[in-house]
Amino acid sequence: MTSLPRSTALPWWRLAPFALVGGVTLSLAFAPTALWPLAPVAVALLGETTVRARGKRAGLALGALFGLGLLVPGIIWQLTLTAQAYGGLVAVELRREHERQHRHGVT
């Protein structure tokens, strides 16, 4: 990948919001929203921000911010889903145990 001449490149901190928004946009392409047409837009945003960065370290930092923007919404969704699933499993098991005790006359 080629980078822009140093005179037209931007500092990483000016591109950081675009990298974060790109990561969040890519997370919207996956479950539960499944807005899959946003995936190419997000990847293009990542490419554009890294090309416009000043140097390889800035590109690496922007890629990491993009990854963070992708990772955090996914983790939040998984934690929510896991909490609901385990809550449902606990309710089912408590109900089964109550029915088992009721059948055997244990109170």
Side-chain angles (χ1 to χ4, degrees):
M1 189 181 317
T2 61
S3 59
L4 295 173
R6 191 157 177 86
S7 61
T8 59
L10 297 171
W12 72 270
W13 53 269
R14 293 194 67 189
L15 297 168
F18 298 105
L20 278 170
V21 167
V24 172
T25 302
L26 186 57
S27 75
L28 292 174
F30 299 110
T33 55
L35 299 171
W36 62 267
L38 292 178
V41 173
V43 173
L45 194 55
L46 171 65
E48 189 65 27
T49 55
T50 54
V51 166
R52 291 189 180 273
R54 283 187 186 160
K56 294 176 184 173
R57 286 187 182 175
L60 179 66
L62 291 168
L65 286 174
F66 182 90
L68 189 66
L70 173 62
L71 180 70
V72 170
I75 288 176
I76 292 170
W77 176 69
Q78 288 175 351
L79 289 175
T80 303
L81 185 68
T82 303
Q84 292 171 355
Y86 279 120
L89 287 173
V90 167
V92 167
E93 287 299 317
L94 285 175
R95 174 85 175 161
R96 291 171 80 188
E97 183 63 27
H98 177 70
E99 289 174 357
R100 187 179 315 119
Q101 288 178 356
H102 184 68
R103 265 187 272 132
H104 295 293
V106 179
T107 55

